[in-house]
Amino acid sequence: MSQTTIQAVRGMNDILPDEAERWEALEDTLRSWLQGYGYRNIRTPLIEHTGLFRRAIGEATDIVEKEMYSFVDELNGESLTLRPEATASTVRAAIEHNLTYGGPQRLYYFGPMFRHERPQKGRYRQFHQVGAEALGLSGPDIDAEMLLMCARLWGDLNLEGMRLELNSLGSAEERAIYRGALVDYLRAHESSLDGDSRRRLNTNPLRVLDSKNPAIQDLIETAPRLLDYLGAASLEHFEGVQSILRDAGLRYRINARLVRGLDYYNLTVFEWVTDRLGAQGTVCAGGRYDGLFAQIGGRAMPACGWAIGIERLLGLLERPSGAAARPDAYLVNQGAEAARFAFRVAEALRDRGFSVLHHCGGGSFKSQMKKADQSGAMVAVIVGDDEARAGEASIKPLRAAREQFRVAKDAIADAIAALLYEDQGE
Ligand code: ATP
Ligand code: MG
């Protein structure tokens, strides 16, 4: 009886080796870039109490309303959620371990996030983010540094066409007054709103500004602007950020409609966008969230951060042509004695730092040599019973017109080093 095959869950992707090599290369770049700004790694659980996200992200947000993977732990009845983002987790951990006790902390994370969205290009149900959080710093200097830092990454990755959109959400009090004015305006035009916006009007009116529906764009354009409701302190902070960006020659556009989907932001918010990814054009998003610590039960603490979508970032990077990892040496072995000796040869080569693909599974000398060639290795190291008895191996350069030669076991590494080195010098 045939069984139906089981496939990966919709919207959750396998990252196969060719692709995973690109991920690893990007991760290396990200790590050294983050360290260059003093950020240190934090790793929090993939699962948190559902209440953390409800409180941190806000009830009337897309994430909490309809995107969370929540389930009841049947063993103890707790409601748990696969993390949809990692700022809430980072702040929870910072409070729990009193991380900011000794002063500000610059932290970064990397890993999978889970949101139940409609899968499409650049939008998945398991996706990955790298994110940074600066905890305990309140001035505009750190907001600006985070933006300059992103600009450096785009440069390091040779990415062109990344545009910075900037806005200020002011304080909670300023937003409350603005919210009243916006609701009055939207109510006066309620008959022109779509269903989604009408619903948001009652739950989270600022998010109406975020609507992509072309039919209501004119209405949004003429809505009151949050920027006009900011007080002196908020404006000063915003100007502080901008003056550092201007000094650094970093270009940006003020987008008064940028409100971000999450509730926890205040003052500076930003997005880095590109035209090269179709509808999913936001690569990096973030801002200041001074209220979040207190919101989830900690001592008040200023903070700001951003998150980059890794799949979207990778979608922008050039694919290297056939740059699959190749071993330095492919170890061909035939015969019982040779098979045992081969393990010693392989480990000795790895001791010297070479990557070795040890042929396993037997087969004729000819078929093994064919595999050696296909592996892309620079040399084949060949051990037959004859060589094993003599404590030697034959070395055959695979990428140069050179004769095979035989050396003692202890000389194999030097012989390979000479070949690899010569090859580079050519
Ligand atoms: P969007 O408006 O595209 O839904 P968002 O505001 O929900 O984005 P954030 O929560 O700010 O996104 O996450 C930061 C970044 O993570 C996004 O700019 C994007 O690059 C990436 N991202 C968010 N959701 C997804 C997803 N479902 N699949 C892939 N990447 C995502
Ligand atoms: Mg979203």
Side-chain angles (χ1 to χ4, degrees):
M1 204 177 80
S2 77
Q3 305 250 341
T4 52
T5 55
I6 296 179
Q7 297 185 323
V9 175
R10 188 164 132 79
M12 309 208 174
N13 301 311
D14 297 311
I15 300 158
L16 303 179
D18 280 347
E19 186 62 11
E21 276 166 14
R22 300 180 66 220
W23 282 65
E24 288 186 314
L26 177 60
E27 286 160 28
D28 288 346
T29 305
L30 292 171
R31 252 191 297 277
S32 56
W33 162 70
L34 285 157
Q35 284 161 4
Y37 285 83
Y39 284 81
R40 298 174 68 211
N41 189 217
I42 182 165
R43 302 180 186 215
T44 60
L46 299 193
I47 296 176
E48 297 275 356
H49 291 289
T50 304
L52 173 67
F53 301 116
R54 302 194 87 93
R55 252 207 260 174
I57 299 171
E59 297 284 347
T61 57
D62 282 352
I63 292 181
V64 172
E65 272 180 355
K66 55 187 185 201
E67 295 176 358
M68 294 207 300
Y69 281 93
S70 298
F71 59 95
V72 174
D73 180 340
E74 288 179 7
L75 297 177
N76 59 13
E78 285 180 333
S79 177
L80 304 177
T81 295
L82 284 169
R83 66 178 186 194
E85 54 102 278
T87 298
S89 312
T90 304
V91 169
R92 195 244 338 117
I95 296 169
E96 195 166 327
H97 305 285
N98 209 1
L99 282 186
T100 49
Y101 180 74
Q105 289 277 334
R106 285 172 162 92
L107 304 172
Y108 80 89
Y109 58 80
F110 186 101
M113 309 295 157
F114 304 85
R115 297 184 193 177
H116 201 282
E117 304 198 64
R118 191 170 66 79
Q120 52 198 293
K121 191 167 180 298
R123 193 176 290 288
Y124 310 101
R125 290 180 174 174
Q126 175 175 328
F127 64 100
H128 297 73
Q129 288 182 338
V130 60
E133 317 289 359
L135 311 179
L137 296 165
S138 60
D141 46 359
I142 186 68
D143 306 26
E145 188 193 69
M146 286 193 141
L147 294 166
L148 297 178
M149 169 180 187
C150 290
R152 173 176 293 277
L153 179 66
W154 316 144
D156 287 353
L157 295 171
N158 287 319
L159 273 187
E160 282 172 13
M162 294 293 285
R163 290 183 282 109
L164 174 59
E165 310 235 310
L166 197 60
N167 194 16
S168 175
L169 298 182
S171 67
E173 298 74 35
E174 288 155 0
R175 238 175 8 260
I177 297 172
Y178 169 71
R179 190 184 149 119
L182 180 65
V183 168
D184 288 347
Y185 169 85
L186 293 174
R187 281 220 201 290
H189 298 85
E190 198 164 349
S191 55
S192 319
L193 291 177
D194 55 42
D196 237 11
S197 300
R198 221 168 282 158
R199 199 171 47 81
R200 284 178 175 163
L201 175 55
N202 295 309
T203 57
N204 193 347
L206 264 67
R207 297 234 46 219
V208 175
L209 303 177
D210 221 15
S211 167
K212 307 278 186 304
N213 181 358
I216 65 166
Q217 294 308 304
D218 286 349
L219 195 70
I220 293 172
E221 270 324 309
T222 49
R225 283 161 32 111
L226 176 50
L227 281 177
D228 298 329
Y229 286 75
L230 301 191
S234 294
L235 287 172
E236 193 186 329
H237 187 99
F238 197 33
E239 174 50 31
V241 175
Q242 292 178 65
S243 73
I244 298 171
L245 299 185
R246 281 195 301 266
D247 278 352
L250 183 66
R251 296 179 54 170
Y252 58 90
R253 183 177 85 93
I254 292 179
N255 176 356
R257 291 175 48 180
L258 185 68
V259 291
R260 307 285 310 121
L262 292 67
D263 268 1
Y264 51 56
Y265 289 112
N266 67 305
L267 294 173
T268 319
V269 287
F270 57 85
E271 287 188 359
W272 285 93
V273 297
T274 169
D275 298 326
R276 288 167 54 206
L277 289 173
Q280 271 56 251
T282 305
V283 177
C284 171
R288 180 161 280 284
Y289 51 90
D290 296 332
L292 185 56
F293 271 73
Q295 209 168 305
I296 58 182
R299 194 160 54 85
M301 183 71 57
C304 62
W306 50 257
I308 293 176
I310 296 294
E311 284 83 354
R312 293 188 194 175
L313 183 56
L314 278 166
L316 290 172
L317 299 179
E318 302 271 331
R319 286 175 182 276
S321 50
R326 306 165 211 250
D328 296 319
Y330 193 98
L331 183 58
V332 170
N333 61 97
Q334 203 179 31
E337 215 162 315
R340 284 209 304 279
F341 183 57
F343 275 97
R344 297 220 297 278
V345 172
E347 291 303 330
L349 284 175
R350 293 185 188 115
D351 284 345
R352 290 280 304 269
F354 293 107
S355 58
V356 181
L357 223 167
H358 185 159
H359 182 88
C360 290
S364 72
F365 178 73
K366 200 170 153 210
S367 75
Q368 290 194 36
M369 285 307 290
K370 202 164 150 196
K371 293 222 167 64
D373 194 47
Q374 286 165 350
S375 76
M378 294 298 293
V379 296
V381 176
I382 303 163
V383 186
D385 282 343
D386 206 25
E387 281 99 340
R389 250 169 261 134
E392 297 177 348
S394 297
I395 293 178
K396 181 166 172 49
L398 295 172
R399 316 287 153 203
R402 200 165 304 163
E403 287 301 306
Q404 178 172 323
F405 56 95
R406 209 161 137 159
V407 290
K409 175 173 166 280
D410 292 342
I412 303 174
D414 285 335
I416 293 177
L419 286 168
L420 295 183
Y421 181 73
E422 271 171 39
D423 186 71
Q424 277 170 11
E426 271 168 14

